[in-house]
Short mmCIF file of all heavy atoms in Angstrom, two decimals:
data_model
loop_
_atom_site.label_atom_id
_atom_site.label_comp_id
_atom_site.label_asym_id
_atom_site.label_seq_id
_atom_site.Cartn_x
_atom_site.Cartn_y
_atom_site.Cartn_z
N ALA L 1326 12.45 2.05 -6.59
CA ALA L 1326 12.50 1.11 -7.71
C ALA L 1326 11.72 -0.12 -7.29
O ALA L 1326 12.14 -0.86 -6.39
CB ALA L 1326 13.95 0.75 -8.02
N ALA L 1327 10.55 -0.28 -7.88
CA ALA L 1327 9.73 -1.47 -7.59
C ALA L 1327 10.14 -2.54 -8.59
O ALA L 1327 9.95 -2.37 -9.79
CB ALA L 1327 8.26 -1.13 -7.73
N GLU L 1328 10.71 -3.62 -8.09
CA GLU L 1328 11.27 -4.63 -8.99
C GLU L 1328 10.76 -6.02 -8.63
O GLU L 1328 10.47 -6.30 -7.46
CB GLU L 1328 12.81 -4.64 -8.90
CG GLU L 1328 13.47 -3.30 -9.11
CD GLU L 1328 13.27 -2.71 -10.51
OE1 GLU L 1328 12.95 -3.50 -11.43
OE2 GLU L 1328 13.41 -1.50 -10.69
N THR L 1329 10.71 -6.88 -9.64
CA THR L 1329 10.37 -8.28 -9.37
C THR L 1329 11.62 -9.17 -9.49
O THR L 1329 11.57 -10.35 -9.18
CB THR L 1329 9.29 -8.78 -10.35
OG1 THR L 1329 9.74 -8.52 -11.68
CG2 THR L 1329 7.95 -8.10 -10.12
N GLU L 1330 12.74 -8.61 -9.96
CA GLU L 1330 14.00 -9.37 -10.04
C GLU L 1330 15.17 -8.37 -10.09
O GLU L 1330 14.96 -7.19 -10.38
CB GLU L 1330 14.03 -10.28 -11.27
CG GLU L 1330 13.81 -9.49 -12.55
CD GLU L 1330 13.80 -10.35 -13.79
OE1 GLU L 1330 14.10 -11.56 -13.70
OE2 GLU L 1330 13.51 -9.82 -14.86
N ASN L 1331 16.37 -8.86 -9.82
CA ASN L 1331 17.60 -8.04 -9.87
C ASN L 1331 17.41 -6.67 -9.21
O ASN L 1331 17.78 -5.65 -9.78
CB ASN L 1331 18.05 -7.82 -11.32
CG ASN L 1331 18.23 -9.12 -12.07
OD1 ASN L 1331 18.63 -10.12 -11.46
ND2 ASN L 1331 17.91 -9.12 -13.35
N MET L 1332 16.83 -6.69 -8.01
CA MET L 1332 16.42 -5.42 -7.42
C MET L 1332 17.58 -4.44 -7.20
O MET L 1332 17.49 -3.27 -7.58
CB MET L 1332 15.72 -5.67 -6.10
CG MET L 1332 15.23 -4.38 -5.48
SD MET L 1332 14.54 -4.62 -3.88
CE MET L 1332 15.88 -5.28 -2.96
N VAL L 1333 18.68 -4.94 -6.60
CA VAL L 1333 19.75 -4.01 -6.26
C VAL L 1333 20.38 -3.44 -7.53
O VAL L 1333 20.62 -2.22 -7.64
CB VAL L 1333 20.81 -4.68 -5.34
CG1 VAL L 1333 21.99 -3.77 -5.11
CG2 VAL L 1333 20.15 -5.04 -4.01
N ALA L 1334 20.61 -4.32 -8.52
CA ALA L 1334 21.22 -3.85 -9.78
C ALA L 1334 20.31 -2.83 -10.46
O ALA L 1334 20.77 -1.79 -10.96
CB ALA L 1334 21.47 -5.04 -10.70
N GLU L 1335 19.00 -3.10 -10.45
CA GLU L 1335 18.05 -2.17 -11.09
C GLU L 1335 17.98 -0.84 -10.33
O GLU L 1335 17.91 0.23 -10.93
CB GLU L 1335 16.64 -2.80 -11.13
CG GLU L 1335 16.42 -3.73 -12.29
CD GLU L 1335 16.71 -3.06 -13.63
OE1 GLU L 1335 16.08 -2.02 -13.91
OE2 GLU L 1335 17.57 -3.54 -14.37
N ALA L 1336 18.02 -0.95 -8.99
CA ALA L 1336 17.97 0.28 -8.18
C ALA L 1336 19.21 1.14 -8.49
O ALA L 1336 19.12 2.36 -8.64
CB ALA L 1336 17.92 -0.08 -6.70
N ARG L 1337 20.34 0.46 -8.61
CA ARG L 1337 21.58 1.19 -8.89
C ARG L 1337 21.54 1.81 -10.30
O ARG L 1337 21.96 2.95 -10.51
CB ARG L 1337 22.76 0.21 -8.75
CG ARG L 1337 24.07 0.88 -8.50
CD ARG L 1337 25.06 0.03 -7.74
NE ARG L 1337 24.89 0.05 -6.29
CZ ARG L 1337 25.01 1.13 -5.52
NH1 ARG L 1337 25.28 2.31 -6.04
NH2 ARG L 1337 24.86 1.06 -4.22
N ARG L 1338 20.97 1.05 -11.24
CA ARG L 1338 20.85 1.59 -12.61
C ARG L 1338 19.96 2.84 -12.61
O ARG L 1338 20.30 3.87 -13.20
CB ARG L 1338 20.26 0.51 -13.53
CG ARG L 1338 20.25 0.88 -15.00
CD ARG L 1338 19.58 -0.17 -15.87
NE ARG L 1338 18.17 -0.38 -15.58
CZ ARG L 1338 17.20 0.46 -15.93
NH1 ARG L 1338 17.49 1.56 -16.58
NH2 ARG L 1338 15.94 0.20 -15.62
N LYS L 1339 18.83 2.77 -11.87
CA LYS L 1339 17.91 3.92 -11.84
C LYS L 1339 18.56 5.11 -11.11
O LYS L 1339 18.34 6.26 -11.47
CB LYS L 1339 16.58 3.53 -11.17
CG LYS L 1339 15.73 2.67 -12.12
CD LYS L 1339 14.42 2.18 -11.52
CE LYS L 1339 13.73 1.28 -12.56
NZ LYS L 1339 12.59 0.56 -12.08
N LEU L 1340 19.35 4.80 -10.08
CA LEU L 1340 20.06 5.87 -9.34
C LEU L 1340 20.88 6.70 -10.32
O LEU L 1340 20.84 7.94 -10.30
CB LEU L 1340 20.95 5.24 -8.27
CG LEU L 1340 21.79 6.19 -7.43
CD1 LEU L 1340 21.03 6.56 -6.16
CD2 LEU L 1340 23.12 5.58 -7.03
N LYS L 1341 21.61 5.98 -11.20
CA LYS L 1341 22.51 6.68 -12.13
C LYS L 1341 21.71 7.35 -13.24
O LYS L 1341 21.87 8.53 -13.51
CB LYS L 1341 23.50 5.70 -12.75
CG LYS L 1341 24.57 5.25 -11.79
CD LYS L 1341 25.88 4.89 -12.53
CE LYS L 1341 26.97 4.55 -11.54
NZ LYS L 1341 26.75 3.23 -10.89
N SER L 1342 20.81 6.56 -13.88
CA SER L 1342 20.14 7.09 -15.08
C SER L 1342 19.22 8.26 -14.74
O SER L 1342 18.98 9.11 -15.58
CB SER L 1342 19.38 5.98 -15.81
OG SER L 1342 18.30 5.55 -15.01
N LYS L 1343 18.69 8.30 -13.50
CA LYS L 1343 17.76 9.38 -13.15
C LYS L 1343 18.42 10.42 -12.23
O LYS L 1343 17.72 11.27 -11.68
CB LYS L 1343 16.51 8.79 -12.52
CG LYS L 1343 15.80 7.76 -13.44
CD LYS L 1343 14.41 7.42 -12.96
CE LYS L 1343 13.83 6.26 -13.78
NZ LYS L 1343 12.38 6.22 -13.74
N ASN L 1344 19.74 10.32 -12.06
CA ASN L 1344 20.50 11.29 -11.28
C ASN L 1344 19.94 11.48 -9.87
O ASN L 1344 19.75 12.60 -9.38
CB ASN L 1344 20.55 12.64 -12.02
CG ASN L 1344 21.56 13.59 -11.40
OD1 ASN L 1344 22.53 13.17 -10.76
ND2 ASN L 1344 21.30 14.90 -11.53
N CYS L 1345 19.65 10.36 -9.20
CA CYS L 1345 19.12 10.43 -7.82
C CYS L 1345 20.28 10.42 -6.82
O CYS L 1345 21.40 10.04 -7.16
CB CYS L 1345 18.24 9.22 -7.52
SG CYS L 1345 16.76 9.14 -8.52
#
Side-chain angles (χ1 to χ4, degrees):
E1328 306 296 340
T1329 53
E1330 57 181 353
N1331 305 327
M1332 182 185 60
V1333 174
E1335 277 304 303
R1337 202 153 277 297
R1338 187 184 63 75
K1339 285 178 183 170
L1340 179 92
K1341 287 209 176 72
S1342 67
K1343 303 193 188 202
N1344 192 26
C1345 296

